[in-house]
Amino acid sequence: MSNKPDFNFSFQIIHWQKAHGRHDFPWQNTRDPYAIWLSEIMLQQTRVATVIPYYQRFLQCYPDIKSLSLASLDDVLALWSGLGYYSRGRNLHKSADLIVKNHGGKFPSESNSIKKLPGIGRSTAAAIQVFAFGKHHAILDGNVKRILTRYFGAKGYLGEKKLDTLLWKKAEELLPENKVNGDIEAYSQGLMDLGSTICTRNKPKCAVCPIHLKCAALQKNKVGEFPAARPRKLLLVKETTMLMIIRRKEILLERRPSKGIWGGLWCLPEMPVNEDISLYCYQKFGLKIKQLAHMPSVEHSFTHFKLRIYPKSMLADSKNLATNKGEQEWIPLFRVLELGIPAPVRILLNLNFINE
Ligand code: SF4
């Protein structure tokens, strides 16, 4: 690595952010740690344009920590529905409860207390401290990792422990030395903006980058090689059958266990592929089914595997369920999308019933 940390890095980022960065997101121009925390959690793994309407709806329903802590998890997950990575919604809800219990409903300002809240890692904790409290902490989200890997010409792929350790060290060293009011916010926002708009994963716009004069990857004319590609792992494919059981404009849904994939969400009943559907429905629900139809399969990607779903639609002979433990319910089709349901199930329902 040829580049050494220097004062100019933060100076360039701050000035670039003030002139060319983004200033009008709904979570900017506030010091409310709750609003900032919410935006940081929603922005994990999700694009800004997708987040904005969810963020606005969420704040309208739950304008502060107390109102979130009083909400039911069902209602929170319903608001989260379609945003994905539902553990984020569950963790927000749990954290609000912890903040009320342990901090009198006031969002903590100290690193250790923030990091103890579920779903908040080192970079998210730092971002909250920067934007809500003006504290000098280094952020290192995926975008910033990409910038620093290129700037220093650092070897390794994102997520690799050795590279991560190095990048945290560099991120700390590069923090602005002058603790001028507002600079740490502009600096941190500048890194996020640079990663989103200039130093993008593909086709970075190096000619207009404020740090291009010292960028090691650019100097070597090897921008495309940084960061290195993650070693490829073959994604496991899992298969499941999802049952769309209808009875008089109502559909049978099951609530998922609180732990695991789609925890706490309402989902179509699932069964192993290749089993007899009529027998399964009779044995599990006590329902006789008719007009069984096989719909086209859909695929949904998770981080570590792909789920191939075989949807089947059918009519049930009655609404009486043999084993109703409160986790299965007949839901009117007109209100099914108001519940917290996973994205592929939402797609299936939309495709097959909602527009009828
Ligand atoms: S010069 Fe190019 S590769 Fe280097 S930090 Fe700027 S945009 Fe990224």
Side-chain angles (χ1 to χ4, degrees):
M1 286 192 302
S2 61
N3 225 326
K4 289 196 166 58
D6 54 44
F7 169 73
N8 280 336
F9 183 93
S10 59
F11 179 84
Q12 297 293 345
I13 297 285
I14 290 167
H15 281 263
W16 176 83
Q17 202 284 328
K18 288 180 177 170
H20 304 288
R22 304 173 299 179
H23 301 269
D24 300 316
F25 291 137
W27 45 84
Q28 289 180 306
N29 308 310
T30 176
R31 284 287 193 189
D32 177 1
Y34 170 67
I36 291 163
W37 167 45
L38 177 65
S39 71
E40 290 298 328
I41 299 296
M42 284 189 165
L43 288 165
Q44 289 168 357
Q45 331 262 7
T46 311
R47 293 155 60 91
V48 167
T50 309
V51 164
I52 289 176
Y54 279 89
Y55 174 83
Q56 289 170 326
R57 271 198 301 272
F58 203 96
L59 269 190
Q60 263 169 16
C61 286
Y62 308 119
D64 49 34
I65 291 169
K66 191 160 177 230
S67 55
L68 179 57
S69 75
L70 292 173
S72 74
L73 179 60
D74 250 1
D75 287 345
V76 171
L77 292 179
L79 263 188
W80 205 271
S81 193
L83 199 56
Y85 299 97
Y86 292 89
S87 58
R88 296 181 299 174
R90 285 196 297 278
N91 284 335
L92 268 177
H93 185 251
K94 201 166 163 190
S95 296
D97 197 40
L98 289 172
I99 294 169
V100 168
K101 281 187 186 135
N102 301 338
H103 303 281
K106 200 166 166 235
F107 200 94
S109 61
E110 295 307 317
S111 281
N112 285 342
S113 303
I114 298 178
K115 280 191 242 166
K116 276 187 192 149
L117 296 171
I120 299 189
R122 182 173 170 184
S123 186
T124 302
I128 296 169
Q129 287 183 292
V130 166
F131 296 118
F133 305 109
K135 294 191 178 179
H136 271 233
H137 285 282
I139 59 162
L140 192 66
D141 64 9
N143 277 337
V144 183
K145 284 182 184 178
R146 184 171 59 251
I147 296 168
L148 297 188
T149 304
R150 287 170 173 170
Y151 183 74
F152 289 106
K155 293 203 172 90
Y157 60 90
L158 298 187
E160 195 179 2
K161 183 92 181 75
K162 204 168 140 197
L163 178 62
D164 248 34
T165 308
L166 175 77
L167 295 180
W168 270 113
K169 185 168 171 280
K170 296 293 179 193
E172 301 276 3
E173 288 170 359
L174 290 168
L175 281 173
E177 284 174 13
N178 289 340
K179 299 203 169 176
V180 176
N181 199 13
D183 271 8
I184 186 66
E185 293 89 331
Y187 174 73
S188 309
Q189 185 63 48
L191 286 175
M192 291 175 175
D193 293 349
L194 192 71
S196 297
T197 62
I198 304 290
C199 193
T200 45
R201 195 188 309 237
N202 301 312
K203 299 188 184 161
K205 303 173 189 73
C206 300
V208 292
C209 174
I211 50 171
H212 75 276
L213 287 177
K214 289 217 160 191
C215 174
L218 185 66
Q219 281 169 8
K220 292 177 189 159
N221 200 19
K222 289 187 173 174
V223 171
E225 293 178 25
F226 294 93
R230 179 187 287 267
R232 276 197 141 198
K233 258 205 246 162
L234 274 185
L235 268 193
L236 187 74
V237 179
K238 295 185 183 177
E239 296 185 315
T240 187
T241 293
M242 283 193 181
L243 307 173
M244 301 189 280
I245 309 174
I246 301 292
R247 170 77 185 169
R248 295 207 175 128
K249 298 273 181 190
E250 292 189 331
I251 188 161
L252 186 64
L253 293 191
E254 270 187 330
R255 192 205 291 272
R256 309 271 308 186
S258 59
K259 292 218 165 114
I261 284 159
W262 298 332
L265 298 187
W266 287 95
C267 196
L268 293 164
E270 282 187 62
M271 61 171 281
V273 290
N274 299 330
E275 277 193 21
D276 186 301
I277 294 172
S278 300
L279 187 63
Y280 184 88
C281 287
Y282 188 69
Q283 287 179 338
K284 179 157 185 195
F285 307 117
L287 296 174
K288 286 186 186 155
I289 57 145
K290 54 188 180 179
Q291 295 188 25
L292 174 63
H294 305 268
M295 325 300 284
S297 66
V298 293
E299 282 194 349
H300 184 74
S301 292
F302 293 94
T303 321
H304 300 297
F305 68 94
K306 216 179 245 186
L307 184 65
R308 187 171 299 139
I309 300 167
Y310 298 99
K312 316 285 178 189
S313 84
M314 65 210 76
L315 298 179
D317 65 330
S318 90
K319 279 175 60 177
N320 298 329
L321 298 171
T323 53
N324 187 351
K325 294 175 191 148
E327 300 303 313
Q328 291 149 0
E329 267 189 40
W330 291 100
I331 309 287
L333 284 168
F334 73 86
R335 61 165 289 253
V336 74
L337 294 184
E338 294 166 14
L339 302 178
I341 46 180
V345 175
R346 178 170 289 264
I347 290 168
L348 285 173
L349 293 173
N350 258 321
L351 276 177
N352 291 289
F353 303 108
I354 308 305
N355 296 323
E356 274 183 348

